Amino acid sequence: MSKPSQSNAVLVAIRTPRVTAEELDSSLQELTRLVKTLGYQVVGRVTQKRSSDRYAAVLGQGKLAELAQWTGGSGKIESAFARPKHKGASKFEAEDSDVTEESDDDESDDTIEPSPGPREQAQIVIVDCDLSPSQLKNLERAAGVPVLDRTGVIIEIFSRHARTRAARLQVEIARLNYLAPRLRETGGGSERQGGGVGGKGAGETSLELDKRRIRDRTKELREELAAIGDEHQTRRARREHELTVALVGYTNAGKSSLMRAMTGSEVLVADKLFATLDTTIRPLYPETCPKVLLSDTVGFIKKLPHDLVASFKSTLDEAASASLLLFVVDASDPSFRSQLDVTRKVLAEVGATEVPSLLVLNKRDRLAPEELAALKAEYPDAIVLSTRNKDDLQALRERIMGYFESDMLDEELRIPFTAQGVVAEIRAKMRILSEEYDAEGLTIRVRSTPENLTAIKKKLAR
């Protein structure tokens, strides 16, 4: 799945009875952003009402012809080669074709209208649903250009944006799982390798060999990823008593911008979907006492492939092990409520539903005063902010510290001069309320978590 040289793409979407026109348009807008992230220019859309997206070529005959006008294809599903078939199989396929083809009850819903005269030619077709291998093959024959489904687009974006070894392994596993059922025989692929003792018997076809190589490679990658996962688990164990806040939310909601503003770190900020895949962990800056770590995780999206959720489980475990989750949403996006539902659904798959959370309505600077007032009334406990506003960021910082300090205890500790090594640990992990020196040592009043207080008392009792 290398980066293509073509620049124009046409989108295809099916509106089933359970999908409203607004939902279809929202999904296509999101797909447009995904496609632009890949570097394509969307020149048109082909949409159709159908009872299901499981038909042989997804679209009906009339819409296939319309698609062909964008791509220069034949608009027909033509077999690449004739293969003799059993009579029973031929009869079954004939019956199946009667069921899977229906009249073109279509509704274009195109928001990108072609200019008068010849249409811009598209060099790739992007379909807003998952395609089976046969559907993919049929559409490619009708369109005459390569076809990618939504999962293929997301995996391609992930493969380009993965930076760390763990992220590259996770994406590669998902990519191989995606490719395995879509492998096809090439030229002489039906020929079998010599097999059996003494050269007798049929061996494996080239397709079977390719599938076996993918299985072996996937196994190797999973073993390597498991080893890296153990390292991540060890690091998380070291942070077990640290206060951690994980930023979670839809892709491009502004998590990385918030991370950069709250920690002063130079994390990547880009107006692209899935610009950040790797988990970044930084302390709040200026540093707090006790120290609070902020982590930025991979963003979510509708119809996120399950293979990617499974592959990125080790990354998403940062959210599951956090002390507090910040659900970051783009409040200027009319569909942010459904995006929030997607985020919660994916987090439920990795077991992060029990972690306490706060809702952050980001990008308030893009809202009109009446929209802002309505959101505050709808979400009275949410934090409304803009990452460009220092007062908003300070309010979020105080809200985070207020949450953690609500479970902390105030206690007075007596520290003799002989235990000076403990003082540095106290200053790093606890908030100092007051301190007094006398001839024998230090009396210090602190605010801290019960766990840290217990650990310090054990060290003082030695």
Side-chain angles (χ1 to χ4, degrees):
M1 300 175 72
S2 59
K3 186 175 180 178
S5 58
Q6 298 90 352
S7 57
N8 289 345
V10 59
L11 308 185
V12 172
I14 297 299
R15 180 182 166 191
T16 57
R18 295 184 179 182
V19 177
T20 65
E22 292 75 17
E23 290 172 338
L24 180 72
D25 185 63
S26 174
S27 184
L28 278 173
Q29 288 180 15
E30 187 173 85
L31 184 62
T32 299
R33 294 177 65 197
L34 287 168
V35 171
K36 287 182 177 179
T37 300
L38 280 183
Y40 290 110
Q41 178 66 36
V42 177
V43 295
R45 296 178 179 177
V46 177
T47 63
Q48 183 177 18
K49 283 183 178 179
R50 306 212 83 182
S51 59
S52 168
D53 59 6
R54 295 293 89 193
Y55 290 97
V58 182
L59 296 170
Q61 292 180 356
K63 284 296 179 176
L64 284 178
E66 180 182 336
L67 178 63
Q69 293 178 24
W70 288 104
T71 63
S74 65
K76 299 178 180 178
I77 306 174
E78 299 174 350
S79 178
F81 57 89
R83 176 181 293 176
K85 298 176 182 177
H86 189 274
K87 288 183 179 180
S90 300
K91 181 179 179 182
F92 175 80
E93 288 193 2
E95 293 174 351
D96 185 56
S97 64
D98 290 339
V99 174
T100 57
E101 287 302 332
E102 62 179 27
S103 62
D104 293 342
D105 176 18
D106 61 313
E107 180 178 300
S108 182
D109 292 337
D110 290 341
T111 58
I112 301 177
E113 295 294 339
S115 56
R119 295 183 176 184
E120 287 189 70
Q121 289 295 292
Q123 290 77 38
I124 191 168
V125 174
I126 310 291
V127 185
D128 190 30
C129 63
D130 287 341
L131 299 178
S132 68
S134 60
Q135 287 178 314
L136 192 67
K137 178 176 61 178
N138 290 336
L139 265 182
E140 285 186 347
R141 287 177 181 169
V145 297
V147 176
L148 267 182
D149 60 11
R150 189 183 181 96
T151 297
V153 171
I154 294 174
I155 289 177
E156 178 65 19
I157 294 173
F158 271 49
S159 66
R160 293 186 191 181
H161 292 178
R163 295 291 180 267
T164 64
R165 180 60 181 161
R168 288 196 294 268
L169 288 172
Q170 290 163 337
V171 172
E172 182 66 8
I173 290 172
R175 189 181 71 87
L176 291 176
N177 287 337
Y178 173 78
L179 286 178
R182 292 166 175 82
L183 289 177
R184 305 171 194 173
E185 295 283 10
T186 56
S190 59
E191 295 180 3
R192 293 183 176 272
Q193 309 294 322
V197 178
K200 296 181 179 180
E204 293 177 298
T205 64
S206 60
L207 178 61
E208 290 167 341
L209 285 171
D210 289 341
K211 287 185 176 181
R212 184 153 57 85
R213 291 190 190 101
I214 284 180
R215 288 195 299 270
D216 293 342
R217 177 61 179 158
T218 301
K219 182 180 178 181
E220 293 174 6
L221 292 171
R222 290 190 187 280
E223 290 173 352
E224 189 172 349
L225 183 60
I228 294 177
D230 291 341
E231 293 176 12
H232 289 175
Q233 187 61 39
T234 301
R235 293 193 190 114
R236 278 194 290 271
R238 292 174 187 163
R239 298 193 300 268
E240 185 178 358
H241 298 299
E242 300 275 8
L243 301 178
T244 57
V245 179
L247 302 177
V248 295
Y250 217 66
T251 182
N252 211 40
K255 298 188 302 300
S256 295
S257 296
L258 185 58
M259 176 83 172
R260 192 171 191 170
M262 295 293 290
T263 64
S265 59
E266 294 298 317
V267 298
L268 176 65
V269 176
D271 187 18
K272 292 182 178 180
L273 301 186
F274 300 116
T276 305
L277 293 182
D278 307 304
T279 299
T280 306
I281 302 174
R282 298 287 187 275
L284 285 183
Y285 182 82
E287 285 199 16
T288 59
C289 285
K291 182 169 67 174
V292 175
L293 299 177
L294 195 64
S295 65
D296 181 17
T297 59
V298 62
F300 306 128
I301 198 169
K302 290 177 185 175
K303 307 174 187 176
L304 188 66
H306 287 286
D307 283 337
L308 280 177
V309 175
S311 296
F312 275 81
K313 187 177 185 304
S314 61
T315 302
L316 296 174
D317 279 345
E318 289 292 343
S321 61
S323 310
L324 176 68
L325 296 179
L326 292 186
F327 283 89
V328 183
V329 299
D330 178 358
S332 65
D333 190 332
S335 61
F336 81 82
R337 294 169 184 80
S338 63
Q339 295 175 359
L340 186 59
D341 290 339
V342 170
T343 301
R344 287 174 172 152
K345 182 178 179 181
V346 175
L347 287 175
E349 293 185 34
V350 295
T353 54
E354 301 301 320
V355 182
S357 63
L358 294 174
L359 177 61
V360 177
L361 301 177
N362 192 21
K363 305 185 183 182
R364 66 176 292 173
D365 50 317
R366 298 184 182 181
L367 296 172
E370 57 274 12
E371 292 176 320
L372 188 58
L375 279 179
K376 287 182 177 179
E378 184 179 357
Y379 300 100
D381 296 327
I383 305 160
V384 186
L385 59 77
S386 167
T387 56
R388 296 187 177 96
N389 189 305
K390 292 183 178 180
D391 292 337
D392 289 349
L393 297 174
Q394 181 61 30
L396 174 59
R397 180 187 175 93
E398 291 174 358
R399 183 75 176 270
I400 291 172
M401 295 308 300
Y403 167 78
F404 286 126
E405 289 185 358
S406 64
D407 292 329
M408 293 183 184
L409 304 175
D410 291 356
E411 194 154 336
E412 190 172 271
L413 300 174
R414 177 67 181 171
I415 306 171
F417 286 129
T418 55
Q420 285 299 307
V422 178
V423 177
E425 186 174 351
I426 290 176
R427 295 189 186 281
K429 295 183 177 181
M430 301 180 182
R431 185 172 182 177
I432 308 298
L433 301 178
S434 65
E435 52 186 309
E436 293 181 6
Y437 288 88
D438 56 31
E440 297 181 357
L442 171 66
T443 301
I444 188 168
R445 187 167 183 79
V446 299
R447 179 172 295 164
S448 176
T449 61
E451 295 81 6
N452 283 336
L453 278 173
T454 301
I456 289 295
K457 288 178 179 178
K458 285 182 179 179
K459 291 184 179 181
L460 291 174
R462 292 174 185 172

